[in-house]
Amino acid sequence: MYLNLTTLIYYIIYIQVVSGKGLVGKETFLSKHLPQLPTLGARQDAFSIFFEYDANFGIPGAFYIRNYTQAEFFLVSVTLDDIPNRGSVQFVCNSWIYNFKSYKNDRIFFTNDTYLPNQTPAPLNHYREEELQNLRGDGTGERKEWDRIYDYDIYNDLGNPDGGDNLVRPVLGGSSDYPYPRRVRSGRKPTRKDPKSEKPGVIYVPRDENFGHLKSSDFLMYGIKSLSQDVLPLFQAVIFDLNFTPNEFDSFDEVRGLFEGGIKLPTDILSKISPLPALKEILRTDGEQVLKFPPPQVIRVSKSAWMTDEEFGREMVAGVNPCVIQLLQEFPPKSTLNATVYGDQTSTITKEHLESNLGELTVEAALDGKRLFILNYHDAFMPYLERINLNAKAYATRTILFLKDDGTLKPIAIELSLPHPNGVQYGSESKVFLPADEGAESIIWLLAKAHVIVNDSCYHQLMSHWLNTHAVVEPFIIATNRHLSVLHPINKLLYPHFRDTININGLARQALINAGGIIEQTFLPGPNSIEISSAVYKNWVFTDQALPADLIKRGLAVEDPSSPHGLRLAIEDYPYAVDGLEIWDAIKAWVEDYVSLYYTTDDAVQKDTEIQTWWKEAVEKGHGDLKDKPWWPKMQSVQDLVQSCSIIIWTASALHAAVNFGQYPYGGYILNRPTISRRFIPEKGTPEYDEMVKSPEKAYLRTITPKYQTLVDLSVIEILSRHASDEVYLGERDSKFWTSDSRAIQAFQKFGSKLTEIEGKITKRNNEPSLRNRTGPVQLPYTLLLRSSEEGLTFRGIPNSISI
């Protein structure tokens, strides 16, 4: 909005004690519009303000602002010049200001100075605590659009019991059966049929977490919402009009046609899509009666390399889900499922199965040499298969891989398991499939790999992506806003890594992970999707989210002081791990440098009241279902603080980038990463087997994701894989005035320089022919952990935060 000069009143709070609080100066108004200020960003206006000042007032430490108009505006920053003994004083605001009647207290903003609680100038102590209390609220009532209150709640708004039994979903969080991280509380009324569930409606997001349409990243988020509400119903109408386009692909060429010729749509459908501005770039029509998607990187060089065993194995260490593969440490693989409930779930893979593809090695020798690895989704899916297979035809999978002399991974056995026909309590029925190069067996092998990838795609989307980044970070955002003042050094450290996350998580609850939402429509588990992620959260460990700890836990690394980063990798050419360890070390070094500026002893951490309350609440409320786990850091030392902050930053930046921005480059070609399985492996003597032999492509296409779900999947992951034009990347800040501490600025510049150096190393590794996993048969260099990026679908870039 354009501000009238009398719409705002400012009051400066000076660092001079008056009745136990800082001196509040006289009110003043905006005095002049400055349209030509050279530092203005897009859609920004600048105004001058003049304050009466007396040298006895002291240094300005904060200001109050009051908006008398009925329209909100976004306050970016305030600069006070010509302050004696100080020069300029900066206030970084980035906040929406509503009419003053919307708030119990006037809005307050602090300078960009940094103070631990016990070092805060006495005149500011009252205001520091007052603002934190404003952000905490009182835990009651329904949140309003203008609220800035951060409080916790369980995931009780994914279902809609009043909409029918098919929309009932379990409440996640607050129970041992369905543990889950907490989300921001909205306080909506309960549903009529289930008082524990909230009614669907407008998703509350604390106002400063939602920038409206000021930012390009929000533009992409609203694209998802438009897609869900406006476009997908139109797609569905077209797909189910079988006279226009059937809901099946009949050949691989037809799938590639989505990128080459496009899919025909009726003119009236296109006319409804084209006016939606958020979708113009994402859904290109080129002025014709066709809808085209950009060609995914995985088929830009070769149309068929995705089918090779080498690429199948490579994507476990350099694909979009590179953090699940484990070293095989016992044979045969055993299950951790409760045998009294699920019977004997031990793998049926034998030594004979494996040794036919181990050359002269025995299984024992391959195990001793750390040459065998496993991608194991058996226990994650087996408890749910009976329910999943009411609407699908899926297996729980185990895949054994052999590390070849050239450093590549060769799949040598795939086990596909179903619950025992007499009930899962009797165990499982399994079949083992071996590699084949020709004839019907080669087609069956390709289908077996597809079933593995369906497990992998679903686990990636629900666990590696949603749970392990989006969901687990939100409680730390809530706790930070409630207990760490903007004056606190750890608030300044973590703030850029929280931008937009609550906003995108709220959107996900509204359109992606909700009952009947996009995830349930397009991924195998359907209505069981988020419930499965709750089961996985039972075994989530905060300290294992540090990349070195994760690699060690999965058997992919052992401690070795003589190796880079103090770890010796079991797979030397492991692009995610090699690049990730460099990023992890850079993050931790930056956090150590920064934290050491403010905490010189463990005692300083212990006596920091804000830090102690922040951590206690993040653990006991934010992750309350796991609060009694012994692995939580005690926050009694500088090392506890460094490690915890490093894990949070890594999770929100590099880990999320690694599992997010490759979604379309790899998964945009549905043949490479199918999300649904609709047929079991055909048995000899059945019509399905005969069809498979006669038309392998059609058999593959009838097994995996059909056309409508493919269009939905591609539309969504294209948005999710994009970078916004105003993205702020790791090692960058959106304001050069984020702190007044020159020591912190110098340490941050050192961090940025280190990340630039790492980019050069990654590029060099990608050009090394001996590192075959860096590019693979599809000739797609692993660039997901290059920290910088252009706008759009780039397959690179580490944003500071989970912003999409």
Side-chain angles (χ1 to χ4, degrees):
M1 62 167 286
Y2 182 83
L3 298 175
N4 184 289
L5 300 186
T6 59
T7 56
L8 301 180
I9 292 182
Y10 287 78
Y11 303 84
I12 295 294
I13 300 169
Y14 297 94
I15 301 180
Q16 182 189 100
V17 177
V18 175
S19 302
K21 298 188 294 186
L23 172 67
V24 179
K26 293 181 179 180
E27 68 180 40
T28 188
F29 296 85
L30 295 184
S31 55
K32 186 178 180 183
H33 184 218
L34 305 173
Q36 304 303 322
L37 200 65
T39 56
L40 284 180
R43 301 175 65 186
Q44 292 185 8
D45 284 295
F47 298 85
S48 60
I49 321 163
F50 291 94
F51 295 93
E52 281 190 26
Y53 181 78
D54 187 299
N56 296 323
F57 286 178
I59 302 295
F63 70 84
Y64 279 127
I65 185 171
R66 188 178 294 173
N67 177 9
Y68 282 96
T69 72
Q70 296 305 308
E72 74 274 17
F73 69 94
F74 189 75
L75 182 61
V76 176
S77 63
V78 171
T79 301
L80 299 183
D81 292 320
D82 302 322
I83 303 298
N85 303 316
R86 179 67 185 256
S88 294
V89 175
Q90 301 290 340
F91 299 82
V92 178
C93 306
N94 290 327
S95 184
W96 290 98
I97 312 294
Y98 278 68
N99 181 272
F100 75 101
K101 293 181 181 178
S102 301
Y103 308 112
K104 290 182 179 179
N105 301 302
D106 285 341
R107 294 296 312 280
I108 189 172
F109 294 93
F110 295 92
T111 65
N112 63 344
D113 295 325
T114 305
Y115 302 111
L116 293 176
N118 63 358
Q119 297 170 350
T120 309
L124 291 182
N125 277 325
H126 166 82
Y127 301 102
R128 180 173 182 150
E129 178 52 38
E130 177 184 72
E131 175 64 352
L132 286 173
Q133 186 57 53
N134 291 338
L135 292 167
R136 287 195 288 267
D138 60 10
T140 64
E142 184 172 354
R143 299 276 68 83
K144 307 300 182 186
E145 174 192 314
W146 51 83
D147 283 339
R148 303 165 54 244
I149 295 173
Y150 295 80
D151 203 356
Y152 305 93
D153 208 344
I154 53 181
Y155 277 72
N156 61 353
D157 62 345
L158 301 181
N160 180 16
D162 294 347
D165 292 345
N166 63 318
L167 296 178
V168 173
R169 298 292 180 272
V171 171
L172 304 184
S175 71
S176 57
D177 290 334
Y178 301 111
Y180 222 61
R182 299 302 189 260
R183 63 169 177 90
V184 163
R185 177 186 175 276
S186 57
R188 288 177 309 217
K189 292 188 168 88
T191 60
R192 181 172 45 83
K193 289 187 176 180
D194 179 9
K196 294 181 180 178
S197 295
E198 268 189 357
K199 283 185 176 179
V202 176
I203 297 289
Y204 166 72
V205 173
R207 190 62 180 103
D208 291 344
E209 302 287 341
N210 186 340
F211 286 66
H213 289 297
L214 292 180
K215 296 198 325 322
S216 174
S217 52
D218 279 329
F219 206 55
L220 292 178
M221 283 190 274
Y222 284 102
I224 294 177
K225 193 170 181 179
S226 295
L227 189 71
S228 173
Q229 296 177 353
D230 303 317
V231 178
L232 298 188
L234 300 178
F235 280 176
Q236 198 162 21
V238 173
I239 294 298
F240 288 107
D241 177 3
L242 298 183
N243 293 322
F244 195 84
T245 177
N247 193 29
E248 296 287 358
F249 296 107
D250 284 328
S251 68
F252 291 180
D253 281 342
E254 189 179 346
V255 177
R256 287 191 290 269
L258 293 174
F259 324 112
E260 295 167 358
I263 185 170
K264 271 195 164 189
L265 290 179
T267 305
D268 63 317
I269 298 293
L270 289 178
S271 67
K272 292 175 182 176
I273 295 175
S274 56
L276 301 170
L279 299 174
K280 278 186 177 179
E281 169 61 21
I282 297 156
L283 303 175
R284 283 155 298 281
T285 63
D286 298 333
E288 302 175 8
Q289 197 180 335
V290 295
L291 174 69
K292 290 178 70 174
F293 291 90
Q297 283 91 329
V298 75
I299 57 166
R300 287 185 183 177
V301 176
S302 169
K303 294 180 180 179
S304 60
W306 64 272
M307 290 191 286
T308 63
D309 286 355
E310 182 179 339
E311 182 60 26
F312 176 80
R314 172 187 170 268
E315 289 187 23
M316 296 179 195
V317 293
V320 72
N321 196 24
C323 40
V324 181
I325 188 173
Q326 297 172 289
L327 180 71
L328 184 64
Q329 302 189 59
E330 64 174 0
F331 190 83
K334 293 183 173 60
S335 170
T336 59
L337 294 175
N338 186 339
T340 60
V341 178
Y342 297 104
D344 183 6
Q345 297 285 342
T346 302
S347 173
T348 61
I349 299 173
T350 65
K351 292 181 181 180
E352 289 73 24
H353 285 134
L354 301 186
E355 287 178 349
S356 61
N357 283 286
L358 290 180
E360 297 180 358
L361 285 178
T362 63
V363 167
E364 290 81 4
L367 286 170
D368 289 344
K370 296 187 176 181
R371 302 282 295 272
L372 293 178
F373 297 84
I374 184 169
L375 190 71
N376 191 351
Y377 291 121
H378 182 93
D379 289 0
F381 286 92
M382 181 56 70
Y384 298 92
L385 276 184
E386 289 179 322
R387 280 192 274 164
I388 289 172
N389 284 344
L390 293 174
N391 299 299
K393 299 282 173 47
Y395 300 99
T397 68
R398 291 182 176 111
T399 305
I400 308 294
L401 301 106
F402 175 61
L403 181 61
K404 296 169 62 178
D405 292 339
D406 64 6
T408 62
L409 288 166
K410 175 180 173 59
I412 57 174
I414 292 174
E415 181 182 52
L416 304 181
S417 302
L418 291 169
H420 194 280
N422 294 329
V424 73
Q425 68 271 25
Y426 295 102
S428 58
E429 282 196 341
S430 303
K431 293 181 180 178
V432 178
F433 299 89
L434 304 180
D437 295 327
E438 55 187 25
E441 294 305 311
S442 68
I443 306 168
I444 287 175
W445 177 243
L446 185 64
L447 291 172
K449 289 193 293 183
H451 280 282
V452 172
I453 296 167
V454 168
N455 274 195
D456 187 68
S457 295
C458 298
Y459 193 93
H460 161 258
Q461 195 61 258
L462 298 170
M463 272 64 79
S464 303
H465 184 210
W466 166 254
L467 174 67
N468 288 346
T469 62
H470 286 257
V472 301
V473 165
E474 186 161 344
F476 296 109
I477 303 175
I478 299 170
T480 299
N481 281 279
R482 286 168 59 85
H483 293 293
L484 296 183
S485 165
V486 294
L487 294 168
H488 198 288
I490 302 304
N491 180 302
K492 294 183 188 297
L493 173 69
L494 296 178
Y495 172 78
H497 305 289
F498 294 159
R499 163 178 151 162
D500 287 339
T501 303
I502 289 179
N503 197 12
I504 188 66
N505 286 3
L507 178 64
R509 301 202 316 274
Q510 195 172 27
L512 293 176
I513 64 171
N514 58 311
I518 289 171
I519 296 297
E520 290 193 359
Q521 289 185 49
T522 58
F523 284 87
L524 176 71
N528 307 288
S529 295
I530 299 301
E531 182 181 336
I532 294 177
S533 72
S534 169
V536 172
Y537 179 64
K538 291 179 182 179
N539 298 312
W540 181 81
V541 177
F542 174 74
T543 47
D544 286 346
Q545 306 314 299
L547 181 58
D550 168 57
L551 293 170
I552 291 170
K553 184 175 185 176
R554 290 190 284 122
L556 271 298
V558 293
E559 293 185 0
D560 179 3
S562 66
S563 296
H565 318 289
L567 293 179
R568 185 173 73 253
L569 294 176
I571 304 171
E572 290 185 15
D573 184 13
Y574 186 173
Y576 164 71
V578 173
D579 298 356
L581 284 170
E582 296 218 51
I583 300 293
W584 166 264
D585 278 2
I587 289 172
K588 191 171 182 185
W590 149 239
V591 174
E592 286 175 339
D593 288 348
Y594 181 82
V595 168
S596 68
L597 299 176
Y598 306 101
Y599 299 91
T600 56
T601 65
D602 293 342
D603 188 60
V605 174
Q606 296 166 18
K607 290 182 177 177
D608 185 332
T609 54
E610 288 186 9
I611 281 290
Q612 294 303 319
T613 310
W614 165 70
W615 190 249
K616 177 180 174 65
E617 191 175 277
V619 172
E620 295 183 1
K621 288 191 175 181
H623 286 278
D625 300 327
L626 304 179
K627 65 181 179 181
D628 296 323
K629 298 296 183 181
W631 38 256
W632 283 109
K634 306 304 181 189
M635 205 51 69
Q636 294 296 298
S637 67
V638 174
Q639 181 54 36
D640 283 348
L641 182 58
V642 167
Q643 184 74 352
S644 299
C645 290
S646 298
I647 290 172
I648 293 169
I649 293 171
W650 161 262
T651 303
S653 59
L655 177 59
H656 179 258
V659 299
N660 182 72
F661 293 103
Q663 289 189 81
Y664 190 84
Y666 281 115
Y669 193 49
I670 200 68
L671 304 181
N672 185 54
R673 286 193 67 77
T675 61
I676 293 172
S677 52
R678 299 180 288 148
R679 285 186 180 181
F680 294 128
I681 300 292
E683 299 281 354
K684 207 165 189 177
T686 63
E688 289 82 2
Y689 187 92
D690 294 339
E691 179 193 57
M692 179 194 75
V693 173
K694 180 181 178 181
S695 180
E697 288 191 7
K698 188 173 287 189
Y700 189 88
L701 291 164
R702 295 298 182 269
T703 298
I704 67 165
T705 316
K707 187 181 291 185
Y708 168 70
Q709 285 82 358
T710 295
L711 292 180
V712 175
D713 182 48
L714 267 58
S715 300
V716 173
I717 65 174
E718 187 191 345
I719 298 174
L720 295 178
S721 302
R722 285 180 166 271
H723 287 294
S725 60
D726 55 0
E727 198 88 80
V728 183
Y729 295 94
L730 193 63
E732 299 176 347
R733 291 273 179 158
D734 59 3
S735 171
K736 65 180 180 180
F737 298 115
W738 65 275
T739 180
S740 63
D741 190 337
S742 60
R743 303 170 304 162
I745 292 172
Q746 186 175 6
F748 188 64
Q749 290 170 342
K750 175 184 170 185
F751 176 46
S753 297
K754 182 64 177 178
L755 292 172
T756 300
E757 176 188 323
I758 292 170
E759 282 194 294
K761 290 182 177 180
I762 292 173
T763 300
K764 185 176 180 180
R765 285 193 288 268
N766 283 339
N767 290 318
E768 175 53 59
S770 64
L771 300 176
R772 294 182 56 166
N773 293 330
R774 300 296 310 190
T775 55
V778 296
Q779 298 181 52
L780 176 56
Y782 187 75
T783 55
L784 284 171
L785 292 177
L786 290 171
R787 69 89 176 253
S788 64
S789 177
E790 303 287 326
E791 177 185 4
L793 278 170
T794 64
F795 192 59
R796 61 177 289 168
I798 305 176
N800 270 326
S801 63
I802 304 167
S803 58
I804 191 67

